Amino acid sequence: MRDLFDDLDDAPEPPPRPDRPHPALGDTAALLALLERWVARGWLRALDRALVVFLQREVPDASAPLLLAAALASHQLGRGHVCLDLATTLAAPDLALSLPPEGDDLSDPPPLPSQVLDGLTLGEWEQALAHPGLVADGDQGAPGHTPLVRGATAPGHQHQGPRLYLRRYWQYEQDIRQQITARLNSATCGNTAPCGSTAPPRDGADRRPDDATSTSDGRRPDNATDTATLAAALDALFPTTETIDWQQAACALAARSPFAVITGGPGTGKTTTVVKLLALLQALQLGQEDRHALRIRLAAPTGKAAARLNDSIAKQVKGLSLVELASAVGQQGVDISTLRDSIPTEVTTLHRLLGSRPDTRHFRHHAGNPLALDVLVIDEASMVDIEMMAAVLTALPPRARLVLLGDKDQLASVEAGAVLGDLCQRAEGGHYTRQTAEWLEAVTGAPLPADYRDDYHGTPGQPLDQAIAMLRVSHRFDAASGIGQLAEAVNRPLDAGHTAKEKRRAVRQVLEHTPAYADLARLRLADADDPALDRLVVDGAPVGFPNSGQGRRDPRGEPLAPPTGYRHYLEVLRDQRPTDTSFGEAGGEERAPFDAWARAVLEAHGRFQLLCALRRGPWGIDGLNPRIGQALRRARLIAASDHELESGWFEGRPVLVTRNDYGLGLMNGDIGITLALPDDREPGRRLLRIAFPASDGSGQIKWVLPSRLQAVETVFAMTVHKSQGSEFTHTALLLPDAPNPILTRELVYTGITRARDWLTLVETGRGMLDEAVTREVMRVSGLGKL
């Protein structure tokens, strides 16, 4: 974490090296005993110690430092890291375990990693990895089948120190690197040189950027389109501007490369861009003779993200004007209805796309049984972990396009890896080559600003840089939006010109801005019993906003409803309950009133959501959900006993699905509301069922009995991690009252940007916001720069 390593630079000279190493570094029995104590204290997973026991049994001569490195490498996976960086671990040893943020107050604590590793040098630890029975060398292609791999140096990238992988995760990195590199190498930029290459055009330096692309044998590659046609198609999709339109540039870059990334913050138009991109690709395809429409699939990591994209895509496709685009491609043009029908609106989850196989990590689609598609678009790509990304790339046909869509600054996946963040390390600066800049100007008609060129940065643009487009203009948050200003202040990374002190000041300036921003409120709680929290979750605490939230209008000039709390959806539940005495088990018209009621309740529930950082403790979901339920019960909005609030069912209970259930068609992240329905078998009796929105964007309702749900939790309070892929009219972001490693810039930014119209920042402890915004996620991996 950045603050910690900054402090290390100013730290005093280290104490003298101890005369003797810690016993756990010299004796495997002592090491196993130490690991057992770490497991008992919760600092290490039992799985991590079990790996060491297995390795020691299979290879008895393995040294204790090697086995300790294996335990720590395994433990990093549970903390989001792909591997163990030995140099980083020696610099800050205690970060290698899941230590409590404020230490451990129990008696007789085991030695900390800093005590165990004291005196061990990087050279000694790296030398201990030289065991051919357990560790293979990644620089040599990691031959054999050793369980551990010492990381290879990425081409053109120097890592901080040696890295130790579990072989499976090393292989995931290799698969991703090889698949993306192969696609980047097949992308061309108006000549036979790969995108990003500095090689001259094949027929001389005077070749114009609007010449058709061709391969060395004279054939045009499948993914190539002559620049004139592409320029005409882009003109048909985007209005003419004197300055570069980043959405147009993103379409252009993605159209010429079999691999592309479109990243941008909330409201920058990622969905709009990808819909126009799909229309562009289909129009170019259908404009050629004897060509069938591209097989395009849309996917997202979770059911909730898929449903949201599904609804958004469907609206965008319906409203897209295609007349000019159809006439811009091919001499005969393209039939508009055929073109519109060829743009898909159905979005699936990645698990369903690949074909999950129960009780296994493997999928039905893989290299030997690839997906039947030509283009794959993955939304919310920041949530895709390294294992899933490797599975997707392996299952893609070699000639298929892959487009990743997401916000690089959001929280990374819950599982190991931060693939989108790794790929987009240089996205802010662009780093486009002269060749790419000239090509972009030729197809868009607008020059690329000089500060996005590689010569401006003084470092050569890489092929990956030429395939990444960052959308830089927010159409949701303008300069008058406190949500947008706060998100920008929080999200700016630390560097030599923007210190931690300056960043804290910038965040405070937004929160203390005069006059106060109309969409931003700040609530400080004195303790866990502060009644202000009840007022927030019940009624939304509109008094915290200027003019109590009255009088605001959206960008179209329509009036905005004031901020609300959970009272709103519970009153909709009560007031719009159908009077029908029969639910209609068979469906059809008899059930229609209940479906309409459920849709209204679900829509109303999306008007407010409390987000928090933690799961445990009074400020985590385990403590907040029962408390919020009690506040709603006191307000006579729900009727539930303490037992039902803790672990039972009651009408009005919102639930979050925490594991995919393909039998019920429910995905991790889906939210449903518990409703009481007439029991058709017993008049006058009510039966609880949970109403879920269908994930296909159809607006249908899926009714599920509580007994059939195996993995759900109450969601009055939701973790920020689980909120990814969602947005809420009024979001309340609650920060805990004590330091915690999970509090990072990315978490705060993600929570802030879940708010569409209103944001309440809830602080329970002084200084936690300052600490969070200056701590950044530092996920260790070897992907680096492709």
Side-chain angles (χ1 to χ4, degrees):
M1 295 166 188
R2 188 180 297 270
D3 278 353
L4 177 59
F5 290 111
D6 287 344
D7 294 341
L8 287 173
D9 294 337
D10 301 324
E13 289 294 325
R17 182 175 177 177
D19 295 335
R20 290 182 298 174
H22 191 279
L25 291 181
D27 178 62
T28 54
L31 174 64
L32 291 172
L34 173 63
L35 297 183
E36 183 64 39
R37 295 183 67 189
W38 283 354
V39 170
R41 199 57 65 97
W43 296 358
L44 192 75
R45 301 179 302 176
L47 175 67
D48 308 323
R49 184 182 184 277
L51 173 65
V52 172
V53 172
F54 169 77
L55 296 178
Q56 199 275 332
R57 183 176 66 242
E58 296 296 313
V59 186
D61 66 339
S63 67
L66 170 54
L67 294 175
L68 175 60
L72 296 179
S74 174
H75 189 64
Q76 301 320 297
L77 295 174
R79 306 175 71 232
H81 304 295
V82 176
C83 56
L84 177 75
D85 186 300
L86 271 63
T88 300
T89 302
L90 287 178
D94 294 339
L95 293 180
L97 294 185
S98 300
L99 300 179
E102 295 182 335
D104 194 325
D105 58 0
L106 300 178
S107 60
D108 190 27
L112 293 167
S114 54
Q115 297 169 275
V116 176
L117 294 172
D118 188 22
L120 182 67
T121 67
L122 180 60
E124 291 170 340
W125 210 4
E126 187 171 13
Q127 186 176 2
L129 301 185
H131 191 300
L134 287 181
V135 185
D137 192 341
D139 281 314
Q140 304 301 320
H145 301 282
T146 60
L148 304 172
V149 176
R150 182 173 52 240
T153 303
H157 174 62
Q158 289 192 342
H159 56 268
Q160 296 253 332
R163 304 182 308 278
L164 184 66
Y165 292 81
L166 272 62
R167 175 174 283 272
R168 182 155 53 89
Y169 286 85
W170 175 84
Q171 190 61 56
Y172 292 150
E173 276 196 1
Q174 302 312 301
D175 291 344
I176 292 172
R177 183 184 301 280
Q178 292 164 8
Q179 292 283 347
I180 292 179
T181 300
R183 283 177 163 78
L184 292 174
N185 287 341
S186 67
T188 55
C189 307
N191 56 46
T192 58
C195 293
S197 170
T198 57
R202 177 166 55 97
D203 54 349
D206 293 330
R207 181 179 175 120
R208 297 188 307 274
D210 58 348
D211 284 345
T213 301
S214 61
T215 61
S216 57
D217 61 0
R219 294 181 296 105
R220 195 173 73 182
D222 290 345
N223 69 323
T225 300
D226 69 272
T227 304
T229 302
L230 179 58
L234 289 170
D235 284 344
L237 285 169
F238 296 92
T240 303
T241 58
E242 293 183 0
T243 58
I244 191 166
D245 180 336
W246 287 109
Q247 292 187 15
Q248 185 184 39
C251 280
L253 291 170
R256 71 171 181 169
S257 175
F259 175 79
V261 179
I262 301 175
T263 186
T268 53
K270 295 186 292 293
T271 305
T272 300
T273 303
V274 81
V275 168
K276 291 186 176 182
L277 171 64
L278 298 182
L280 173 68
L281 293 176
Q282 286 289 28
L284 294 173
Q285 177 79 0
L286 294 171
Q288 301 180 48
E289 295 182 4
D290 302 324
R291 289 286 186 150
H292 299 290
L294 294 169
R295 297 168 298 173
I296 301 175
R297 298 294 303 274
L298 309 174
T302 67
K304 180 171 57 177
R308 181 181 169 197
L309 179 64
N310 200 325
D311 184 58
S312 180
I313 288 273
K315 292 177 181 177
Q316 295 270 0
V317 171
K318 185 177 180 180
L320 192 62
S321 176
L322 298 173
V323 177
E324 292 184 16
L325 176 63
S327 62
V329 294
Q331 293 183 349
Q332 302 301 319
V334 174
D335 180 71
I336 295 175
S337 60
T338 301
L339 176 57
R340 193 180 303 277
D341 291 343
S342 69
I343 304 172
T345 58
E346 180 180 349
V347 186
T348 187
T349 64
L350 288 173
H351 283 87
R352 180 163 291 175
L353 175 75
L354 293 176
S356 292
R357 295 165 58 184
D359 303 319
T360 176
R361 309 180 79 103
H362 303 294
F363 296 99
R364 186 164 54 86
H365 289 289
H366 45 75
N369 180 32
L371 294 161
L373 52 77
D374 301 302
V375 180
L376 174 61
V377 176
I378 300 178
D379 192 27
E380 297 291 350
S382 63
M383 300 168 64
V384 183
D385 61 85
I386 190 171
E387 182 176 3
M388 177 58 76
M389 189 64 76
V392 169
L393 283 162
T394 302
L396 275 183
R399 290 181 177 270
R401 293 177 183 270
L402 176 62
V403 180
L404 302 182
L405 201 66
D407 186 344
K408 68 179 181 63
D409 297 311
Q410 279 192 30
L411 281 169
S413 59
V414 175
E415 304 298 329
V419 180
L420 188 69
D422 285 339
L423 296 175
C424 293
Q425 287 179 11
R426 288 160 46 110
E428 292 279 353
H431 296 273
Y432 298 115
T433 62
R434 175 184 59 81
Q435 184 183 33
T436 297
E438 292 176 353
W439 181 85
L440 271 175
E441 183 171 0
V443 296
T444 67
L448 181 74
D451 48 350
Y452 298 113
R453 297 266 298 262
D454 62 352
D455 50 11
Y456 175 85
H457 297 281
T459 56
Q462 302 300 314
L464 178 62
D465 298 325
Q466 319 310 305
I468 295 178
M470 181 173 174
L471 307 181
R472 303 168 189 273
V473 179
S474 176
H475 303 282
R476 182 190 305 173
F477 304 128
D478 56 21
S481 167
I483 298 173
Q485 295 300 312
L486 184 61
E488 183 178 345
V490 167
N491 192 42
R492 183 174 172 183
L494 298 173
D495 54 39
H498 189 62
T499 65
K501 183 178 180 180
E502 290 168 330
K503 183 166 189 174
R504 296 185 186 108
R505 184 187 301 117
V507 170
R508 285 196 297 271
Q509 285 175 345
V510 176
L511 295 173
E512 299 167 1
H513 189 271
T514 303
Y517 289 107
D519 57 353
L520 183 61
R522 190 179 190 184
L523 176 63
R524 292 187 175 91
L525 300 180
D527 52 45
D529 298 321
D530 193 327
L533 178 62
D534 293 0
R535 293 192 292 269
L536 171 67
V537 297
V538 174
D539 294 308
V543 70
F545 294 87
N547 199 32
S548 295
Q550 301 285 344
R552 280 192 64 207
R553 294 182 177 272
D554 66 17
R556 296 171 298 177
E558 298 295 326
L560 286 173
T564 187
Y566 290 130
R567 177 188 296 277
H568 176 63
Y569 92 87
L570 291 167
E571 288 183 342
V572 169
L573 184 157
R574 180 194 64 198
D575 298 341
Q576 298 187 27
R577 185 190 305 275
T579 58
D580 304 57
T581 58
S582 175
F583 170 59
E585 290 289 349
E589 292 299 321
E590 193 174 7
R591 186 181 293 182
F594 293 95
D595 287 348
W597 176 45
R599 281 192 290 271
V601 174
L602 286 164
E603 189 279 331
H605 180 264
R607 294 279 300 276
F608 175 77
Q609 182 64 57
L610 178 71
L611 304 181
C612 57
L614 310 177
R615 294 192 61 85
R616 312 297 179 203
W619 301 118
I621 61 171
D622 289 352
L624 287 168
N625 274 311
R627 173 175 172 173
I628 295 171
Q630 292 164 5
L632 295 173
R633 183 175 61 188
R634 287 192 295 270
R636 301 183 182 276
L637 293 169
I638 61 172
S641 66
D642 287 340
H643 171 74
E644 287 170 335
L645 289 177
E646 289 282 352
S647 57
W649 290 94
F650 54 90
E651 186 173 38
R653 180 191 180 192
V655 294
L656 176 78
V657 176
T658 59
R659 188 172 64 240
N660 293 343
D661 188 328
Y662 295 101
L664 294 176
L666 296 176
M667 298 293 113
N668 181 13
D670 286 350
I671 292 178
I673 306 292
T674 309
L675 300 175
L677 308 172
D679 188 345
D680 292 348
R681 298 166 299 180
E682 188 175 334
R685 181 173 178 265
R686 287 185 174 181
L687 184 69
L688 291 180
R689 291 199 182 184
I690 300 88
F692 290 94
S695 60
D696 58 2
S698 63
Q700 299 299 309
I701 296 297
K702 187 175 301 182
W703 296 95
V704 182
L705 286 167
S707 59
R708 299 193 65 191
L709 293 173
Q710 304 301 314
V712 294
E713 61 189 21
T714 303
V715 72
F716 288 128
M718 178 192 297
T719 62
V720 175
H721 276 92
K722 287 293 186 180
S723 74
Q724 288 181 267
S726 300
E727 66 177 16
F728 311 97
T729 305
H730 178 198
T731 296
L733 174 61
L734 185 149
L735 302 179
D737 60 350
N740 194 294
I742 202 171
L743 280 178
T744 62
R745 166 176 71 94
E746 290 83 356
L747 182 137
V748 175
Y749 169 78
T750 301
I752 290 170
T753 55
R754 298 313 89 201
R756 186 172 68 243
D757 296 328
W758 309 97
L759 172 69
T760 299
L761 181 66
V762 186
E763 297 176 86
T764 62
R766 294 182 62 83
M768 293 305 101
L769 179 62
D770 283 348
E771 177 170 320
V773 300
T774 52
R775 180 190 290 128
E776 300 179 354
V777 172
M778 304 287 285
R779 288 209 166 175
V780 180
S781 78
L783 275 179
K785 306 175 182 65
L786 288 176

